[in-house]
Amino acid sequence: MANLKIGNIQLKEGLLLAPLAGINDIAFRRICVEHGASLVYTGMVNANALVRGNKATKKLAQTCDEERPVGIQMFGSNPETLAKAAKLVQDQADVIDINMGCPDKNVIKQGAGSALLKRPKRIGEIVNSVKKAIGVPLTVKIRSGVEVSSIEDTIKIAKIIEENGADALILHPRTAMQGGSGVADWNVIKEVKEYLSIPVIGNGGIKNISDAKSMMKETGCDGVMIGTAAMGNPFIFEKTEKKKTYEEIKETFYRYLEYAKHYEIENIFYLRMQAQLFFKGFHSAALFRKDMGYVDSIEELKKLIELNLGFNLGI
Ligand SMILES: Cc1cc2nc3c(=O)[nH]c(=O)nc-3n(C[C@H](O)[C@H](O)[C@H](O)COP(=O)(O)O)c2cc1C
Protein backbone atom coordinates (compact mmCIF):
# COMPACT_ATOMS: atom_id res chain seq x y z
CA MET A 1 0.00 0.00 0.00
CA ALA A 2 1.41 3.36 -0.98
CA ASN A 3 2.21 6.27 1.30
CA LEU A 4 -0.51 8.84 1.71
CA LYS A 5 -0.17 12.46 2.78
CA ILE A 6 -3.26 14.50 3.57
CA GLY A 7 -2.31 18.15 3.94
CA ASN A 8 0.61 18.09 6.36
CA ILE A 9 -0.35 14.71 7.84
CA GLN A 10 1.90 11.93 6.67
CA LEU A 11 0.14 8.60 7.08
CA LYS A 12 1.94 5.32 7.47
CA GLU A 13 -0.09 3.96 4.54
CA GLY A 14 -3.31 4.61 2.71
CA LEU A 15 -5.55 2.14 4.48
CA LEU A 16 -8.45 3.97 6.11
CA LEU A 17 -11.40 3.00 8.28
CA ALA A 18 -14.62 4.54 6.94
CA PRO A 19 -16.98 6.64 9.01
CA LEU A 20 -19.60 4.15 10.23
CA ALA A 21 -22.24 5.80 12.39
CA GLY A 22 -23.45 3.45 15.09
CA ILE A 23 -20.53 1.05 14.57
CA ASN A 24 -17.08 2.58 14.75
CA ASP A 25 -17.07 3.93 18.27
CA ILE A 26 -13.92 5.18 19.98
CA ALA A 27 -13.03 1.71 21.33
CA PHE A 28 -13.49 0.05 17.94
CA ARG A 29 -11.43 2.70 16.19
CA ARG A 30 -8.60 2.19 18.68
CA ILE A 31 -8.69 -1.54 17.96
CA CYS A 32 -8.55 -0.86 14.19
CA VAL A 33 -5.48 1.32 14.67
CA GLU A 34 -3.82 -1.41 16.74
CA HIS A 35 -4.43 -3.80 13.85
CA GLY A 36 -2.92 -1.49 11.25
CA ALA A 37 -5.42 1.14 10.05
CA SER A 38 -3.54 4.26 8.95
CA LEU A 39 -6.37 6.73 9.63
CA VAL A 40 -9.73 6.18 11.26
CA TYR A 41 -12.81 8.36 11.05
CA THR A 42 -15.63 8.86 13.52
CA GLY A 43 -19.16 8.32 12.29
CA MET A 44 -20.92 11.49 11.18
CA VAL A 45 -21.52 14.07 13.87
CA ASN A 46 -24.28 16.66 13.65
CA ALA A 47 -22.63 20.08 13.34
CA ASN A 48 -25.73 21.95 14.59
CA ALA A 49 -25.91 19.82 17.71
CA LEU A 50 -22.21 20.20 18.33
CA VAL A 51 -22.45 23.97 18.20
CA ARG A 52 -25.45 23.84 20.58
CA GLY A 53 -23.26 21.87 22.98
CA ASN A 54 -25.40 18.72 22.90
CA LYS A 55 -23.81 16.23 25.31
CA ALA A 56 -24.50 13.06 23.35
CA THR A 57 -23.12 14.64 20.18
CA LYS A 58 -19.97 15.76 21.98
CA LYS A 59 -19.50 12.20 23.13
CA LEU A 60 -19.76 10.96 19.52
CA ALA A 61 -16.96 13.35 18.59
CA GLN A 62 -14.76 12.18 21.47
CA THR A 63 -11.38 10.82 20.38
CA CYS A 64 -8.30 9.50 22.21
CA ASP A 65 -4.55 9.78 21.66
CA GLU A 66 -4.21 6.04 21.08
CA GLU A 67 -6.31 6.16 17.91
CA ARG A 68 -4.52 9.10 16.32
CA PRO A 69 -4.35 10.06 13.56
CA VAL A 70 -8.12 10.34 13.67
CA GLY A 71 -10.62 12.22 11.56
CA ILE A 72 -13.89 13.66 12.83
CA GLN A 73 -16.66 13.63 10.27
CA MET A 74 -19.47 16.15 10.41
CA PHE A 75 -22.68 16.76 8.56
CA GLY A 76 -24.60 19.96 8.11
CA SER A 77 -25.63 22.39 5.39
CA ASN A 78 -24.71 25.79 6.78
CA PRO A 79 -21.13 26.90 6.02
CA GLU A 80 -20.80 29.01 9.18
CA THR A 81 -22.20 26.36 11.49
CA LEU A 82 -19.96 23.69 9.99
CA ALA A 83 -16.96 26.00 10.39
CA LYS A 84 -17.86 26.71 14.01
CA ALA A 85 -18.35 23.02 14.77
CA ALA A 86 -15.07 22.09 13.09
CA LYS A 87 -13.26 24.72 15.11
CA LEU A 88 -14.74 23.34 18.32
CA VAL A 89 -13.33 19.84 17.78
CA GLN A 90 -10.18 20.42 15.77
CA ASP A 91 -7.91 20.05 18.80
CA GLN A 92 -9.00 16.45 19.19
CA ALA A 93 -8.74 15.65 15.45
CA ASP A 94 -5.95 15.31 12.91
CA VAL A 95 -8.39 15.71 10.04
CA ILE A 96 -11.90 17.12 9.68
CA ASP A 97 -14.21 15.56 7.12
CA ILE A 98 -17.48 16.84 5.73
CA ASN A 99 -20.14 14.30 4.80
CA MET A 100 -21.63 14.98 1.38
CA GLY A 101 -22.94 11.51 0.65
CA CYS A 102 -25.28 10.35 3.39
CA PRO A 103 -28.65 9.22 1.96
CA ASP A 104 -30.46 9.17 5.33
CA LYS A 105 -33.85 10.93 5.20
CA ASN A 106 -33.25 12.93 8.37
CA VAL A 107 -29.90 14.17 7.12
CA ILE A 108 -31.26 15.09 3.67
CA LYS A 109 -34.17 16.94 5.28
CA GLN A 110 -31.61 19.35 6.71
CA GLY A 111 -30.08 19.87 3.26
CA ALA A 112 -27.01 17.95 4.41
CA GLY A 113 -25.27 14.74 3.29
CA SER A 114 -26.07 13.71 -0.28
CA ALA A 115 -28.56 16.61 -0.64
CA LEU A 116 -25.51 18.82 -1.09
CA LEU A 117 -24.52 17.01 -4.29
CA LYS A 118 -27.34 18.95 -5.96
CA ARG A 119 -25.94 22.28 -4.78
CA PRO A 120 -22.40 22.68 -6.13
CA LYS A 121 -22.27 26.35 -5.14
CA ARG A 122 -23.10 25.51 -1.54
CA ILE A 123 -20.46 22.77 -1.59
CA GLY A 124 -17.86 25.39 -2.50
CA GLU A 125 -19.03 27.71 0.26
CA ILE A 126 -18.89 24.97 2.86
CA VAL A 127 -15.42 23.77 1.92
CA ASN A 128 -14.13 27.32 1.79
CA SER A 129 -15.64 28.32 5.10
CA VAL A 130 -14.51 25.22 7.01
CA LYS A 131 -11.02 25.27 5.54
CA LYS A 132 -10.52 28.89 6.59
CA ALA A 133 -11.68 28.14 10.13
CA ILE A 134 -9.38 25.22 10.91
CA GLY A 135 -5.69 24.49 11.20
CA VAL A 136 -5.92 20.76 10.43
CA PRO A 137 -6.40 19.15 7.01
CA LEU A 138 -9.88 18.92 5.53
CA THR A 139 -11.31 16.00 3.57
CA VAL A 140 -14.71 15.73 1.90
CA LYS A 141 -16.56 12.47 1.33
CA ILE A 142 -18.92 12.31 -1.63
CA ARG A 143 -20.90 9.83 -3.72
CA SER A 144 -21.07 9.68 -7.51
CA GLY A 145 -24.58 11.11 -7.70
CA VAL A 146 -27.99 11.21 -6.06
CA GLU A 147 -30.27 9.27 -8.42
CA VAL A 148 -27.93 8.72 -11.35
CA SER A 149 -24.22 8.11 -11.30
CA SER A 150 -22.45 10.73 -13.41
CA ILE A 151 -18.75 10.94 -14.09
CA GLU A 152 -19.05 14.50 -15.46
CA ASP A 153 -20.99 15.85 -12.49
CA THR A 154 -18.70 14.08 -10.04
CA ILE A 155 -15.62 15.60 -11.68
CA LYS A 156 -17.29 19.02 -11.52
CA ILE A 157 -18.03 18.63 -7.82
CA ALA A 158 -14.60 17.19 -7.10
CA LYS A 159 -12.96 20.21 -8.77
CA ILE A 160 -15.05 22.62 -6.70
CA ILE A 161 -13.99 20.76 -3.57
CA GLU A 162 -10.33 20.95 -4.57
CA GLU A 163 -10.45 24.60 -5.64
CA ASN A 164 -11.98 25.63 -2.33
CA GLY A 165 -9.13 24.16 -0.34
CA ALA A 166 -9.89 20.56 0.60
CA ASP A 167 -6.78 18.46 1.21
CA ALA A 168 -8.21 15.18 -0.07
CA LEU A 169 -11.36 13.79 -1.63
CA ILE A 170 -13.00 10.57 -0.51
CA LEU A 171 -15.13 9.08 -3.26
CA HIS A 172 -17.74 6.37 -2.83
CA PRO A 173 -18.93 5.68 -6.38
CA ARG A 174 -22.45 4.57 -5.60
CA THR A 175 -25.43 6.90 -5.85
CA ALA A 176 -27.34 8.01 -2.76
CA MET A 177 -30.31 6.00 -4.10
CA GLN A 178 -28.17 2.88 -4.16
CA GLY A 179 -27.33 3.22 -0.47
CA GLY A 180 -24.88 0.41 0.18
CA SER A 181 -26.30 -1.98 -2.40
CA GLY A 182 -25.30 -2.76 -5.95
CA VAL A 183 -21.90 -2.31 -7.44
CA ALA A 184 -19.55 0.55 -6.64
CA ASP A 185 -18.35 1.79 -10.04
CA TRP A 186 -14.58 2.09 -9.52
CA ASN A 187 -14.28 3.58 -12.99
CA VAL A 188 -15.62 6.84 -11.55
CA ILE A 189 -12.71 6.90 -9.10
CA LYS A 190 -10.25 6.38 -11.96
CA GLU A 191 -11.76 9.22 -14.01
CA VAL A 192 -11.97 11.67 -11.11
CA LYS A 193 -8.40 10.90 -10.05
CA GLU A 194 -7.15 12.11 -13.45
CA TYR A 195 -8.65 15.57 -12.88
CA LEU A 196 -7.44 16.27 -9.34
CA SER A 197 -4.11 17.18 -7.80
CA ILE A 198 -5.17 16.48 -4.19
CA PRO A 199 -5.18 12.83 -3.08
CA VAL A 200 -8.24 10.78 -4.00
CA ILE A 201 -9.27 8.08 -1.56
CA GLY A 202 -11.39 5.34 -3.07
CA ASN A 203 -14.19 3.68 -1.17
CA GLY A 204 -16.86 1.11 -1.91
CA GLY A 205 -17.05 -2.63 -2.33
CA ILE A 206 -13.72 -3.61 -0.78
CA LYS A 207 -14.28 -7.01 0.82
CA ASN A 208 -10.72 -8.01 1.59
CA ILE A 209 -7.16 -6.80 1.25
CA SER A 210 -6.74 -8.06 -2.29
CA ASP A 211 -9.77 -5.96 -3.29
CA ALA A 212 -8.06 -2.99 -1.67
CA LYS A 213 -4.94 -3.59 -3.74
CA SER A 214 -7.05 -4.05 -6.89
CA MET A 215 -8.82 -0.74 -6.30
CA MET A 216 -5.50 1.07 -6.02
CA LYS A 217 -4.15 -0.63 -9.11
CA GLU A 218 -7.25 -0.24 -11.25
CA THR A 219 -8.08 3.35 -10.33
CA GLY A 220 -4.72 4.88 -9.40
CA CYS A 221 -6.30 6.21 -6.20
CA ASP A 222 -3.97 7.37 -3.44
CA GLY A 223 -5.58 5.47 -0.60
CA VAL A 224 -8.51 3.20 0.12
CA MET A 225 -11.25 3.37 2.71
CA ILE A 226 -12.95 0.26 4.08
CA GLY A 227 -16.45 0.28 5.54
CA THR A 228 -18.67 -2.80 5.77
CA ALA A 229 -15.81 -5.29 5.52
CA ALA A 230 -14.20 -3.78 8.62
CA MET A 231 -17.34 -4.13 10.75
CA GLY A 232 -16.46 -6.63 13.48
CA ASN A 233 -13.29 -7.27 11.49
CA PRO A 234 -10.42 -5.00 12.51
CA PHE A 235 -8.14 -7.79 11.27
CA ILE A 236 -8.66 -6.62 7.70
CA PHE A 237 -6.11 -3.89 8.39
CA GLU A 238 -3.41 -6.51 9.09
CA LYS A 239 -3.26 -7.10 5.33
CA THR A 240 -3.23 -10.89 5.47
CA GLU A 241 -5.91 -13.20 4.13
CA LYS A 242 -5.36 -15.66 6.99
CA LYS A 243 -8.63 -16.45 8.77
CA LYS A 244 -8.53 -15.69 12.47
CA THR A 245 -9.23 -18.42 14.99
CA TYR A 246 -12.09 -18.14 17.43
CA GLU A 247 -9.58 -17.57 20.23
CA GLU A 248 -7.84 -14.76 18.41
CA ILE A 249 -11.16 -13.05 17.82
CA LYS A 250 -12.11 -13.58 21.43
CA GLU A 251 -8.89 -12.01 22.65
CA THR A 252 -9.44 -8.95 20.44
CA PHE A 253 -13.11 -8.68 21.36
CA TYR A 254 -12.25 -8.78 25.09
CA ARG A 255 -9.78 -5.97 24.52
CA TYR A 256 -12.57 -4.09 22.77
CA LEU A 257 -14.79 -4.66 25.83
CA GLU A 258 -12.07 -3.30 28.09
CA TYR A 259 -11.81 -0.15 26.00
CA ALA A 260 -15.59 0.17 25.85
CA LYS A 261 -15.58 0.17 29.64
CA HIS A 262 -12.77 2.70 29.77
CA TYR A 263 -14.57 5.10 27.40
CA GLU A 264 -17.92 4.47 29.07
CA ILE A 265 -19.83 3.13 26.09
CA GLU A 266 -20.96 0.01 27.88
CA ASN A 267 -24.50 -0.38 26.58
CA ILE A 268 -25.18 -4.11 26.55
CA PHE A 269 -27.55 -3.99 23.56
CA TYR A 270 -24.85 -2.22 21.60
CA LEU A 271 -22.05 -4.55 22.73
CA ARG A 272 -24.22 -7.57 21.89
CA MET A 273 -24.48 -6.25 18.34
CA GLN A 274 -20.72 -5.74 18.18
CA ALA A 275 -20.18 -9.32 19.44
CA GLN A 276 -22.38 -10.59 16.62
CA LEU A 277 -20.27 -8.71 14.12
CA PHE A 278 -16.98 -9.94 15.57
CA PHE A 279 -17.99 -13.60 15.73
CA LYS A 280 -19.91 -13.90 12.48
CA GLY A 281 -18.70 -16.64 10.21
CA PHE A 282 -18.11 -19.34 12.84
CA HIS A 283 -19.91 -22.60 12.32
CA SER A 284 -21.95 -22.17 15.45
CA ALA A 285 -22.64 -18.53 14.70
CA ALA A 286 -26.36 -19.03 14.12
CA LEU A 287 -26.78 -20.60 17.54
CA PHE A 288 -24.56 -17.93 19.02
CA ARG A 289 -26.67 -15.17 17.52
CA LYS A 290 -29.89 -16.67 18.82
CA ASP A 291 -28.54 -16.93 22.37
CA MET A 292 -27.09 -13.45 22.14
CA GLY A 293 -30.61 -12.05 22.10
CA TYR A 294 -31.03 -13.15 25.75
CA VAL A 295 -27.78 -11.83 27.12
CA ASP A 296 -28.27 -8.79 29.34
CA SER A 297 -24.92 -8.19 31.00
CA ILE A 298 -21.26 -8.22 30.00
CA GLU A 299 -20.65 -11.17 32.34
CA GLU A 300 -23.31 -13.18 30.52
CA LEU A 301 -21.96 -12.11 27.19
CA LYS A 302 -18.51 -13.39 28.15
CA LYS A 303 -20.01 -16.61 29.49
CA LEU A 304 -21.69 -17.22 26.15
CA ILE A 305 -18.46 -16.51 24.30
CA GLU A 306 -16.62 -19.02 26.52
CA LEU A 307 -19.34 -21.62 25.99
CA ASN A 308 -19.13 -21.11 22.28
CA LEU A 309 -15.34 -21.50 22.45
CA GLY A 310 -15.81 -25.08 23.60
CA PHE A 311 -18.27 -25.64 20.80
CA ASN A 312 -15.86 -24.27 18.22
CA LEU A 313 -12.99 -26.36 19.51
CA GLY A 314 -15.24 -29.41 19.45
CA ILE A 315 -14.98 -29.93 23.23
C1 LIG B 1 -23.59 1.04 9.31
C2 LIG B 1 -23.03 2.08 8.39
C3 LIG B 1 -22.87 3.38 8.85
C4 LIG B 1 -22.34 4.35 8.01
N1 LIG B 1 -22.15 5.61 8.48
C5 LIG B 1 -21.55 6.54 7.69
C6 LIG B 1 -21.25 7.84 8.19
O1 LIG B 1 -21.50 8.17 9.35
N2 LIG B 1 -20.66 8.72 7.34
C7 LIG B 1 -20.33 8.40 6.04
O2 LIG B 1 -19.77 9.21 5.32
N3 LIG B 1 -20.61 7.18 5.55
C8 LIG B 1 -21.19 6.24 6.35
N4 LIG B 1 -21.41 4.99 5.86
C9 LIG B 1 -20.92 4.66 4.51
C10 LIG B 1 -19.51 4.11 4.58
O3 LIG B 1 -18.61 5.03 5.13
C11 LIG B 1 -18.98 3.71 3.19
O4 LIG B 1 -18.93 4.84 2.37
C12 LIG B 1 -19.87 2.67 2.52
O5 LIG B 1 -20.24 1.65 3.42
C13 LIG B 1 -19.16 2.07 1.31
O6 LIG B 1 -17.99 1.39 1.68
P1 LIG B 1 -17.96 -0.21 1.82
O7 LIG B 1 -18.45 -0.76 0.52
O8 LIG B 1 -16.52 -0.53 2.13
O9 LIG B 1 -18.89 -0.55 2.95
C14 LIG B 1 -21.98 4.02 6.68
C15 LIG B 1 -22.17 2.71 6.22
C16 LIG B 1 -22.67 1.74 7.06
C17 LIG B 1 -22.82 0.34 6.54
Side-chain angles (χ1 to χ4, degrees):
M1 249 354 96
N3 271 350
L4 173 62
K5 198 170 178 191
I6 301 179
N8 57 356
I9 304 277
Q10 177 65 57
L11 301 178
K12 174 171 99 237
E13 276 187 314
L15 201 53
L16 284 62
L17 171 69
L20 295 166
I23 301 284
N24 65 351
D25 59 73
I26 186 171
F28 184 69
R29 297 193 306 265
R30 182 171 170 184
I31 294 276
C32 287
V33 168
E34 287 173 3
H35 286 268
S38 337
L39 172 65
V40 293
Y41 278 93
T42 66
M44 58 182 175
V45 175
N46 184 335
N48 284 322
L50 209 53
V51 170
R52 280 199 314 268
N54 181 288
K55 243 175 123 181
T57 309
K58 271 166 111 175
K59 177 110 179 155
L60 287 177
Q62 183 193 0
T63 60
C64 63
D65 285 346
E66 289 81 357
E67 64 172 317
R68 296 183 86 152
V70 58
I72 297 183
Q73 190 196 56
M74 307 200 278
F75 71 95
S77 60
N78 182 295
E80 285 76 41
T81 310
L82 277 160
K84 254 190 223 162
K87 225 171 159 167
L88 279 175
V89 295
Q90 65 168 332
D91 286 349
Q92 68 211 53
D94 299 281
V95 178
I96 296 288
D97 181 82
I98 309 290
N99 180 318
M100 298 195 185
C102 181
D104 185 273
K105 264 196 235 115
N106 293 317
V107 172
I108 288 176
K109 234 175 20 202
Q110 298 178 34
S114 61
L116 288 166
L117 296 176
K118 296 200 164 174
R119 300 178 69 193
K121 186 163 164 275
R122 178 55 69 96
I123 289 179
E125 289 162 0
I126 288 174
V127 176
N128 190 280
S129 162
V130 176
K131 179 65 188 176
K132 277 192 185 138
I134 59 176
V136 296
L138 173 66
T139 62
V140 179
K141 184 165 177 280
I142 62 169
R143 285 181 179 251
S144 55
V146 178
E147 291 98 9
V148 183
S149 183
S150 159
I151 291 179
E152 292 71 33
D153 290 350
T154 309
I155 291 172
K156 225 181 274 168
I157 287 169
K159 291 292 276 180
I160 292 173
I161 288 169
E162 174 172 273
E163 280 157 14
N164 281 282
D167 296 284
L169 177 81
I170 303 168
L171 175 55
H172 176 201
R174 284 187 178 104
T175 63
M177 286 264 282
Q178 265 182 289
S181 67
V183 179
D185 181 3
W186 292 0
N187 191 40
V188 183
I189 302 175
K190 182 170 182 274
E191 294 281 339
V192 170
K193 167 68 191 160
E194 284 177 20
Y195 285 85
L196 293 200
S197 326
I198 54 170
V200 173
I201 296 153
N203 167 240
I206 296 173
K207 289 186 213 70
N208 47 50
I209 203 66
S210 67
D211 284 349
K213 287 178 187 157
S214 302
M215 181 189 270
M216 292 205 68
K217 209 167 143 209
E218 286 171 29
T219 70
C221 66
D222 304 280
V224 295
M225 175 177 267
I226 306 177
T228 322
M231 286 164 56
N233 181 25
F235 312 106
I236 196 165
F237 296 108
E238 290 178 4
K239 296 189 291 180
T240 72
E241 302 285 1
K242 205 179 127 265
K243 195 174 179 309
K244 292 287 160 189
T245 65
Y246 189 89
E247 271 177 310
E248 284 167 328
I249 294 174
K250 187 187 97 169
E251 185 264 324
T252 303
F253 185 69
Y254 281 10
R255 195 151 34 88
Y256 169 73
L257 287 180
E258 248 174 60
Y259 295 163
K261 184 172 181 187
H262 179 74
Y263 299 113
E264 298 176 347
I265 48 166
E266 273 188 302
N267 175 318
I268 186 64
F269 299 105
Y270 178 70
L271 296 178
R272 237 160 59 173
M273 182 271 293
Q274 286 286 358
Q276 285 171 345
L277 288 171
F278 269 76
F279 292 97
K280 68 176 177 258
F282 277 85
H283 68 278
S284 52
L287 176 78
F288 189 46
R289 273 200 298 275
K290 186 170 147 275
D291 288 347
M292 194 74 81
Y294 301 100
V295 162
D296 57 17
S297 69
I298 290 183
E299 290 64 43
E300 278 182 43
L301 177 59
K302 282 188 164 175
K303 223 192 271 175
L304 183 61
I305 290 168
E306 296 301 329
L307 252 173
N308 210 54
L309 170 65
F311 190 91
N312 270 284
L313 295 177
I315 299 168

